Amino acid sequence: MKVKVFRKEHFNAAHRLYNSNWDAEKNKTIFGKCNNPNYHGHNYDLTVEVEGEIDQETGYVIDIKILSDIVKEQVTDRFDHKNLNLDVPEFKDLNPTAENIAVVIWNLIREKLDSKFTLTIRLYETERNFVEYSGY
Ligand code: NI
């Protein structure tokens, strides 16, 4: 009897999309506004999905407080009100696209989450643009 549990979080962060192997013109052509040299911000919405068996003693799949503490410690405390390119070491050499941010978040939460759970990350960069990553 598997059930999915969801935790929604939110963070604001700045970024700049940029490929150092390309010249300025190509970066501008490919990344458009997201290549702005002085960065720009997004209001990111994050949904963390954990799937597992219901524990017969607690009735929980996972104590949502434990999950929310993991997300806060691993993601929002580190990303919120930060410049992803400059302040978050994971993006030193990694373009902070929504896709790459989702993979980084998945890895950070996976480290702290019991391996018996399945983890999926959904990240909204805007209301209408979002990505999902499940670790494969
Ligand atoms: Ni952007």
Side-chain angles (χ1 to χ4, degrees):
M1 206 165 47
K2 289 202 167 183
V3 175
K4 291 176 178 174
V5 174
F6 299 84
R7 173 75 185 175
K8 287 171 81 175
E9 288 290 348
H10 179 81
F11 59 93
N12 304 310
H15 76 165
R16 182 194 185 199
L17 301 186
Y18 178 76
N19 183 328
S20 60
N21 297 319
W22 298 344
D23 63 20
E25 195 185 351
K26 184 166 183 183
N27 270 288
K28 202 174 175 191
T29 303
I30 300 293
F31 296 123
K33 283 183 180 173
C34 278
N35 183 237
N36 177 30
N38 292 330
Y39 307 93
H40 63 279
H42 290 281
N43 298 314
Y44 290 97
D45 278 314
L46 171 66
T47 301
V48 178
E49 176 192 312
V50 172
E51 185 178 22
E53 301 282 346
I54 296 176
D55 183 281
Q56 289 308 303
E57 286 183 309
T58 62
Y60 292 155
V61 171
I62 183 171
D63 183 338
I64 208 100
K65 176 72 169 75
I66 291 170
L67 179 60
S68 72
D69 285 349
I70 292 172
V71 178
K72 182 178 184 298
E73 178 190 319
Q74 294 293 88
V75 183
T76 46
D77 283 355
R78 301 176 71 242
F79 289 21
D80 190 36
H81 286 73
K82 297 291 168 60
N83 179 313
L84 297 177
N85 302 72
L86 301 179
D87 299 329
V88 181
E90 283 82 356
F91 299 107
K92 189 172 173 290
D93 299 308
L94 181 67
N95 206 19
T97 59
E99 292 87 334
N100 281 331
I101 297 168
V103 171
V104 165
I105 289 173
W106 188 93
N107 285 321
L108 288 168
I109 295 175
R110 185 77 269 181
E111 275 175 30
K112 303 286 178 180
L113 192 68
D114 193 309
S115 60
K116 69 185 179 183
F117 297 122
T118 303
L119 175 66
T120 297
I121 296 303
R122 181 179 281 189
L123 182 70
Y124 291 78
E125 193 168 75
T126 71
E127 262 180 48
R128 291 187 285 185
N129 298 343
F130 57 96
V131 301
E132 196 174 81
Y133 181 61
S134 301
Y136 50 83

